[in-house]
Every structure is written in C-alpha cells, then in structure tokens.
C-alpha cells in the first residue's frame, strides 16, 4: 500500500464516520460554552476574553472559541454544523499526520490512524463542538507526539525533532492548559531512556522549542492578564487545579468507576491488548514484528509510559477519564505496530468501514428521531415569536443558556441591572429575578413567561 492510497482510504472513512448528521442535532452538554463565546467574539471584536452570558468565562483558554468563530466566519453560516466542523477536521488532521509523519509503513500507519479516530472516547467528543474540548485538544497532542516519534525513529535533525511538535503543544495549551505536557514528556523521557540518548534533551533545539511553546501561549496570556476580566482568573485556575487533586466532594462510586470508564474510552481497540503479550510474535508464523525506523524499542517505551500515566492519573481523586483521553493516540500507535503481522491487521479497516455505514445510517434514521426531543430550539422559537420583527432584546444576566444560540432576534447582554437600558424595547430575565425587577424597574411589566425542559422560568418584560 502506498501512502497516497492510505490517505485516500483515511479521507473516505473519516468522511463516512464524522460527517453524516454532524450538524443535525441541537446543542448538547457543554457545547454552548464553546459556541456562545465564539459568537460574542465575532460581534464584539474582542478575541482575548471569552464571554458567556455577558460575563467573562474564566475556566478555559480560548482556542476552542477561536476555531469555532473562525469556522462561522469562513463558512459564512452560524449553525451546529459549522460549530462542530473544527473538531471533526482536527481528527482528520491527526489521521493525516499519522499516515505521513509517524515513520510507520503505510499500512501500519493507516491502521494506527483508524484506531485513533475510531476510539470510542474520541469519536464521542469530536462529533460535537469541542465536546469538553478533547475533540481538538487530544488531536493536537496526538500530532505533537506522532511527529516527535516519527522524527526520532528516522534520526531527523534535533531542530526538526523538537520545533514541529512544539507548535502543536503550544496550541494544545491554548485549548485546555498544560496537562498534555505531562503526557508528552512522560513518553519522550521513556523513549530517550530506552535508547540511552540523554543528550537529545539538552540540545539547544529543545530549549528553542520550549520557548516557542511558551511564546504561543503567551501571545494570548499576556494581553489577557492585562484585562480587568482576568483579575479573578488566577484564582479560578488554581482552584480548578486544586480540585483535580483533592476532590471536595469525594464519591466512592464515581472514583471506583474512573478506571473502568477510562478503559471504556479506549474501546474497541483495548480488546487487542492481549496481542501485546505475544512480545511481538505472530500467533501464526512466529515471526518477529517487522521493524519500523528505530525498531520496536521506542514503542515498548511508549506503551509503558502511557499505561503508567493512564493508571496513575485515574487513581487521583478529581481526575476524570476524559482528561487522559489523549493517551489513546500513542496507545493506538503501539497496537498498530503489534498487530501488523497478525490476523488482526485488517481489523481497523474493517471496523472503520462498519462505523462508516453505521454513521450514515445514524444521519439518515436516528437523527430525525432524536430531533423530536428538541428543547432548545422550541424555546428559542417561542421567544422569537413573542417579539415583533426588528425588536432589540436585552438579556439580563442569563448565566449559561445554550438556547440563546438559536434566537433569531437581535440581542445583547446586560450582566448587571444597571446595564439594562433606561428605555429597552424588551428584556428577558430569569424567573427568580421577578421581585428585583418589580422593585428596581417598575417601568417594565412581564408580558410573557417561558419554561425550559427543567422547569426553569424566563420572563419577557416590556415597557408599560
């Protein structure tokens, strides 16, 4: 198999698996937290501070918001498909990087790429708008480790070895912070130790690469921390890190399920782990697994480092299985090398075809059934219908409300009561604010009420 053929197969299967029904279902889970700041960035021109409901969103760096906003701008549309496209494209970029830059033979590289993009954990995240951000974060880490391992096995120059991965590591930091650096350097140190080539770590190219990573993150962080909104960000981030290690409300049931759920995210390919126990021998011929580049030793080091970090992190209270999802990618590389000479070698291609057929069926059959249970779109449609064409709506301190994405009327946010205009055309507020408006803004009267699927009430107020 040639690399060109491997790329064509990869593109065809990616299209079949990731594109059907991509934009057909309404927003789910945390998608609104990624999309609403992107909308605000486009409308305000402020690309430094993400905002949700008119207030700064301090919990995550803004890369996910940026790529969604750019998708809206480049496609010229603002819908679920455009919002989810960046995550799907990130998985495609990962697959292409594995086929081109991993240093593996084309067939083995294709198997590794298909394993990576069909791991259940990544498949679930990347078909949504940054579903917990891992849809972009994990592929960025994956591209970094794949390009590093490929350069290492080919004996590339130190500058090529370190600088290319540094770009993707810096971008990953802008997506979700620095945890992926633990994964990257855990694997890198294990591979360097297995080859006893410690000088590679102290080469000037490594220092330059680290400076590049910092510069990429600093390009956003420096102007961000000069803004008034960032005054609370340091505390928010430190509290987040603290809670990852010391869970405030420890629950045994949740903690005990961490490892099983983490392993579940690695399905179906984790079922091939027994192949590794054969120590590189085919069950049919007894032949050694063919060497790729520097041979099997780097992949053995990758396996050990990945498994140790996977288990160790999931034993920490507060760490959730999605945090270790990036490790599915180096594990896919290891498994692809292990199964190459065995009867399992065609499994990734076969399962990829099967998932493609299922995904096409999902888009054609399941999506219409799912859409019957919509609740965000109908709520937004009710609010739109209650307003005359051309009405400017002021949304008072809504917090996180994903249905705002579906409003077709013009709106802006009033995070505080004093931000509500003196003579607004219409104001939307949460039901719990009824008393506050009765006391502070008697000039406004409730004309309509709405409820979401959870029973939360929203008030539409207009001048008396």
């Amino acid at each position: 198999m040639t690399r060109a053929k491997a790329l064509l197969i990869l593109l065809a299967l990616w299209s079949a698996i990731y594109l059907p029904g991509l934009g057909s279902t309404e927003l789910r889970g945390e998608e609104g937290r990624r999309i609403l700041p992107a909308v605000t960035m486009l409308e305000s021109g402020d690309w430094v501070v993400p905002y949700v409901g008119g207030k700064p969103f301090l919990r995550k760096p803004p890369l996910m918001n940026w790529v969604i906003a750019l998708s809206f701008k480049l496609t010229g549309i603002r819908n679920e498909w455009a919002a989810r496209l960046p995550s799907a494209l990130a998985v495609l970029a990962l697959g292409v990087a594995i086929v081109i830059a991993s240093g593996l033979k084309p067939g083995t590289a294709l198997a590794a790429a298909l394993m990576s993009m069909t791991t259940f954990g990544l498949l679930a995240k990347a078909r949504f708008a940054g579903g917990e951000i891992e849809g972009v974060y994990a592929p960025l880490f994956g591209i970094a480790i794949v390009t590093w391992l490929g350069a290492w096995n080919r004996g590339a120059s130190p500058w090529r070895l370190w600088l290319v991965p540094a770009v993707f590591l810096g971008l990953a930091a802008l997506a979700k912070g620095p945890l992926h650096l633990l994964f990257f350097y855990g694997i890198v140190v294990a591979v360097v130790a297995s080859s006893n080539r410690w000088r590679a770590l102290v080469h000037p190219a490594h220092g330059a690469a680290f400076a590049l990573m910092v510069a990429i993150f600093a390009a956003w962080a420096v102007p961000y921390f000069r803004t008034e909104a960032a005054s609370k960000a340091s505390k928010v981030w430190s509290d987040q890190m603290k809670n990852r290690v010391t869970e405030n409300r420890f629950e045994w049931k949740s903690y005990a399920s961490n490892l099983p759920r983490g392993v579940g995210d690695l399905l179906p390919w984790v079922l091939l782990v027994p192949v590794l126990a054969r120590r590189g021998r085919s069950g049919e011929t007894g032949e050694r697994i063919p060497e790729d580049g520097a041979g099997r030793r780097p992949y053995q080091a990758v396996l050990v480092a990945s498994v140790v970090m996977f288990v160790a992190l999931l034993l920490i209270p507060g760490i959730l299985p999605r945090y270790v999802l990036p490790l599915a990618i180096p594990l896919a590389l290891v498994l692809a090398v292990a199964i190459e000479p065995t009867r399992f070698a065609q499994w990734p291609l076969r399962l990829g075809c099967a998932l493609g057929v299922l995904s096409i069926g999902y888009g054609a059959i399941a999506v219409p059934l799912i859409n019957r249970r919509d609740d965000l779109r109908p709520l937004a449609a009710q609010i739109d219908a209650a307003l005359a064409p051309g009405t400017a709506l002021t949304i008072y301190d809504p917090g996180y409300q994903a249905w705002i994405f579906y409003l077709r009327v013009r709106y802006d946010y009033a995070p505080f009561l004093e931000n509500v205009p003196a003579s607004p055309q219409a104001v939307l507020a949460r039901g719990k604010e009824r008393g506050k408006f009765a006391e502070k803004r008697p000039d406004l009267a409730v004309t309509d009420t709405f409820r979401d699927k959870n029973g939360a009430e929203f008030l539409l107020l207009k001048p008396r």
Side-chain angles (χ1 to χ4, degrees):
M1 179 184 293
T2 64
R3 294 202 187 275
K5 183 178 180 180
L7 286 172
L8 287 174
I9 294 173
L10 176 73
L11 178 61
L13 290 179
W14 170 83
S15 299
I17 293 170
Y18 278 87
L19 297 184
L22 183 65
S24 300
T25 57
E26 70 175 15
L27 304 186
R28 296 284 186 267
E30 295 291 295
E31 287 188 295
R33 294 192 193 275
R34 319 304 168 209
I35 296 172
L36 292 175
V39 172
T40 301
M41 286 176 174
L42 287 172
E43 293 179 347
S44 68
D46 183 354
W47 292 72
V48 176
V49 181
Y51 284 85
V52 172
K55 293 182 178 180
F57 182 67
L58 307 174
R59 296 174 64 85
K60 295 289 185 294
L63 181 70
M64 199 66 236
N65 312 129
W66 289 348
V67 296
I68 293 172
L70 287 173
S71 180
F72 288 161
K73 190 173 184 65
L74 293 176
T75 62
I77 52 178
R78 296 186 188 181
N79 60 14
E80 298 91 340
W81 180 85
R84 292 166 180 162
L85 184 62
S87 298
L89 289 176
V91 174
L92 177 61
L94 169 64
V96 170
I98 293 174
V99 172
I100 292 177
S102 65
L104 300 174
K105 291 183 291 187
T108 307
L110 176 61
L114 292 175
M115 285 181 174
S116 295
M117 79 179 196
T118 57
T119 297
F120 285 179
L122 185 57
L123 186 63
K125 300 295 184 184
R127 278 184 59 93
F128 296 95
E132 295 301 341
I133 306 181
E134 276 75 14
V136 167
Y137 177 65
L140 285 172
F141 162 78
I143 294 172
I145 197 64
V146 163
T147 53
W148 190 91
L149 285 170
W152 178 269
N153 286 341
R154 288 194 300 269
S157 74
W159 297 98
R160 166 67 179 77
L161 176 70
W162 293 108
L163 288 177
V164 173
V167 174
F168 299 98
L169 293 172
L171 291 174
L174 284 173
K176 201 175 180 175
L179 182 60
H180 63 290
L181 294 179
L182 172 63
F183 302 149
F184 180 80
Y185 279 106
I187 292 171
V188 164
V189 170
V191 171
V192 169
S194 71
S195 303
N196 198 28
R197 292 165 56 185
W198 294 102
R199 289 186 179 180
L201 293 176
V202 296
H203 192 279
H206 187 193
F210 196 85
L212 177 59
M213 282 188 283
V214 173
I216 290 172
F217 186 78
W220 165 75
V222 170
Y224 174 76
F225 280 101
R226 289 177 178 172
T227 66
E228 182 181 353
S231 59
K232 299 179 181 178
S234 297
K235 184 178 187 307
V236 171
W237 290 1
S238 64
D239 288 345
Q240 277 189 292
M241 293 299 294
K242 187 188 305 179
N243 291 337
R244 298 292 180 263
V245 181
T246 57
E247 183 73 22
N248 288 334
R249 293 177 295 176
F250 184 80
E251 297 180 3
W252 271 109
K253 184 178 180 180
S254 176
Y255 179 69
S257 68
N258 257 7
L259 273 174
R261 285 188 294 151
V263 172
D265 282 344
L266 302 181
L267 288 170
W269 305 116
V270 71
L271 299 177
L272 292 179
V273 166
V275 176
L276 297 174
R278 300 180 181 186
R279 298 181 180 278
R281 293 187 179 277
S282 166
E284 299 175 359
T285 65
E287 296 176 353
R288 298 295 294 181
I289 287 182
E291 292 190 353
D292 289 279
R296 285 181 46 80
R297 183 176 295 175
Y299 299 104
Q300 293 169 342
V302 170
L303 174 64
V304 172
S306 298
V307 170
V308 168
M309 289 186 290
F310 182 87
V311 174
L313 283 173
L314 288 181
L315 291 176
I316 299 175
I319 295 292
L320 298 176
R322 68 174 184 267
Y323 300 159
V324 297
L325 185 58
L327 291 173
I329 297 162
L331 287 171
L333 294 176
V334 173
L335 281 171
V337 172
I339 68 172
E340 180 193 351
T342 74
R343 64 180 181 273
F344 304 106
Q346 294 301 312
W347 281 28
L349 183 57
R350 292 171 182 170
L351 183 65
C353 292
L355 286 174
V357 172
L358 289 174
S359 181
I360 293 171
Y362 163 82
I365 300 172
V367 165
L369 298 176
I370 293 172
N371 287 344
R372 292 180 183 178
R373 302 195 301 270
D374 281 358
D375 57 87
L376 303 179
R377 291 166 175 161
L379 177 57
Q382 291 175 35
I383 296 171
D384 283 332
L387 296 168
T391 300
L393 177 66
T394 299
I395 305 178
Y396 168 65
D397 190 23
Y400 168 53
Q401 304 293 341
W403 51 260
I404 293 175
F405 178 67
Y406 293 103
L407 290 176
R408 294 295 172 254
V409 299
R410 293 185 299 114
Y411 67 86
D412 58 13
Y413 295 109
F416 304 101
L417 194 58
E418 54 266 30
N419 301 127
V420 176
S423 301
Q425 293 183 11
V427 177
L428 191 69
R430 287 180 282 184
K432 67 178 184 178
E433 307 293 351
R434 186 187 295 265
K436 181 183 293 185
F437 273 86
E439 178 184 354
K440 304 289 187 181
R441 293 298 302 266
D443 57 309
L444 301 176
V446 176
T447 60
D448 293 275
T449 61
F450 313 93
R451 291 187 182 274
D452 65 14
K453 67 173 183 178
N454 297 317
E457 184 183 44
F458 297 90
L459 312 174
L460 184 64
L461 303 100
K462 296 179 180 178
R464 294 181 184 276

